[in-house]
Amino acid sequence: MEVSLNGMQTMIAILGIIALTLGIIFFLRRYVTGKSDQDLADKYRDKKWSSPLKARAKYPDVDGFAFTGPLFRYGLASALALTLFAFSWTSYEEEVFIPEDALELDEEIEIEPPRTAEPPPPPPPPPPPVIEEVPEEEIEEEDEPEFVDQDIEEETVMDEPEPIVEEEAPPPPPPPPPPPPEPEVEEIFKVVEQMPRFPGCENEPGDNKAKEDCAKQKMLQYIYKNLKYPAIARENGVEGMCVIQFVVAKDGSVTEAKVVRDIGAGCGSAALTVVEKMNNLPQKWTPGKQRGQNVKVLYTLPVRFKLEG
């Protein structure tokens, strides 16, 4: 006959044995105390014992060894009962309600491309020069050129002209510094050779397909076990599917989580909270791989809110 006890029943049984043991101790103490209050000296003054073994205790009424046999048998029975309760203790896994087609999307979700750092726009060109018209009244007539006689005669003494010293040209200005390198933006993949997996299935036997199926099942159990249906959504009968997108980084951490579809009544925030708490798990996700290298992968996760009938 199989006997199965849950945690509450086992605890009640153990507390019952402890209470019974304390009751026996209290009863024996009261019994011995009551006997010791009697005038045992007068009772056994002229007593002659038939055997020296009976006379080993001066007053047999308060002999503690008289209860050795019953107490030993009670101890054996208690130990046997505790052993039986320990072997009959059955732990039941909490039943998690997972909606049907929990990972199927009703329609394709548009994925925004990752934003890259755009270079700053070039400065605007300088404005063209403004040509101002000068009134004719202000234009002065130019003086006629004065002609100088430059004829050279035989008696003319020519001075040696001073040598023209050319001024050194200033050094050319230094070249402008090169523009700063553009920040390197790591590519975020949507589909890779090995998609990221929820932790807990890497030691499971089988190929990547079997591990991926196991990881999906564990992920669903985690989500719907920790998902809290918002009270306002439950009271108003709000049901539907929220969609969360997040990036599984190269080290397996969950980053950039956001709600891309929300049914309202706090459901989107509740689903986002469960996803963000994945970083508190003992193990991180198994990162996605492309050509044998860990890469960032965008993961789209539908979360269904359905009231149990």
Side-chain angles (χ1 to χ4, degrees):
M1 184 180 76
E2 295 184 1
V3 179
S4 61
L5 300 175
N6 56 26
M8 181 60 67
Q9 293 173 339
T10 304
M11 183 62 65
I12 293 175
I14 294 175
L15 292 177
I17 293 176
I18 294 175
L20 180 60
T21 303
L22 294 176
I24 292 175
I25 294 174
F26 180 76
F27 171 76
L28 291 178
R29 185 176 180 179
R30 292 289 302 273
Y31 175 79
V32 174
T33 303
K35 289 291 185 179
S36 63
D37 292 339
Q38 299 177 4
D39 191 3
L40 299 178
D42 294 339
K43 180 178 179 181
Y44 293 102
R45 185 182 304 277
D46 299 329
K47 179 68 175 179
K48 294 183 178 181
W49 311 101
S50 58
S51 172
L53 294 178
K54 294 183 178 180
R56 63 183 177 179
K58 186 175 182 180
Y59 303 123
D61 295 349
V62 293
D63 184 12
F65 292 98
F67 304 101
T68 301
L71 292 178
F72 179 73
R73 288 188 291 270
Y74 171 75
L76 289 179
S78 300
L80 182 61
L82 290 175
T83 304
L84 179 62
F85 293 150
F87 280 103
S88 301
W89 182 12
T90 305
S91 59
Y92 297 94
E93 294 185 0
E94 183 180 356
E95 185 177 357
V96 180
F97 172 71
I98 300 177
E100 297 181 0
D101 304 331
L103 291 178
E104 291 187 6
L105 290 171
D106 296 340
E107 59 186 18
E108 187 69 18
I109 303 297
E110 295 184 0
I111 300 176
E112 298 181 359
R115 297 181 178 179
T116 57
E118 298 180 357
V130 179
I131 302 175
E132 297 181 358
E133 183 179 359
V134 179
E136 295 182 358
E137 292 78 9
E138 297 183 6
I139 301 177
E140 298 180 356
E141 296 182 358
E142 296 182 357
D143 298 334
E144 295 183 358
E146 182 180 355
F147 295 96
V148 180
D149 185 11
Q150 297 182 355
D151 294 338
I152 300 175
E153 297 180 356
E154 188 175 348
E155 292 83 6
T156 304
V157 178
M158 300 294 295
D159 296 331
E160 184 180 358
E162 295 181 0
I164 300 175
V165 180
E166 296 183 358
E167 296 182 357
E168 295 182 359
E182 296 183 1
E184 183 179 355
V185 180
E186 296 185 7
E187 183 179 0
I188 300 177
F189 295 84
K190 179 182 177 183
V191 179
V192 291
E193 296 172 356
Q194 178 181 316
M195 293 295 291
R197 294 194 290 262
F198 190 81
C201 294
E202 295 308 306
N203 296 328
E204 294 292 326
D207 55 2
N208 286 334
K209 181 65 169 59
K211 293 180 180 180
E212 186 175 349
D213 294 339
C214 171
K216 288 182 179 179
Q217 189 63 28
K218 285 187 176 293
M219 180 179 65
L220 290 176
Q221 292 178 357
Y222 163 80
I223 290 174
Y224 290 101
K225 180 179 180 181
N226 296 277
L227 183 65
K228 295 182 179 179
Y229 213 117
I232 186 172
R234 188 184 298 276
E235 293 172 359
N236 292 276
V238 177
E239 296 182 342
M241 180 181 66
C242 295
V243 180
I244 310 296
Q245 280 185 350
F246 56 91
V247 175
V248 180
K250 293 181 179 181
D251 61 349
S253 58
V254 175
T255 61
E256 303 179 30
K258 61 181 179 180
V259 181
V260 296
R261 179 190 291 178
D262 194 358
I263 58 176
C267 295
S269 300
L272 183 62
T273 301
V274 174
V275 171
E276 290 176 341
K277 287 184 178 179
M278 290 181 180
N279 288 323
N280 299 333
L281 294 173
Q283 297 178 351
K284 294 184 178 181
W285 279 60
T286 302
K289 292 183 180 294
Q290 182 72 7
R291 297 178 181 177
Q293 300 292 330
N294 293 353
V295 293
K296 290 184 175 181
V297 181
L298 183 66
Y299 201 96
T300 303
L301 175 66
V303 180
R304 296 183 182 272
F305 287 83
K306 187 175 182 180
L307 295 171
E308 299 183 35

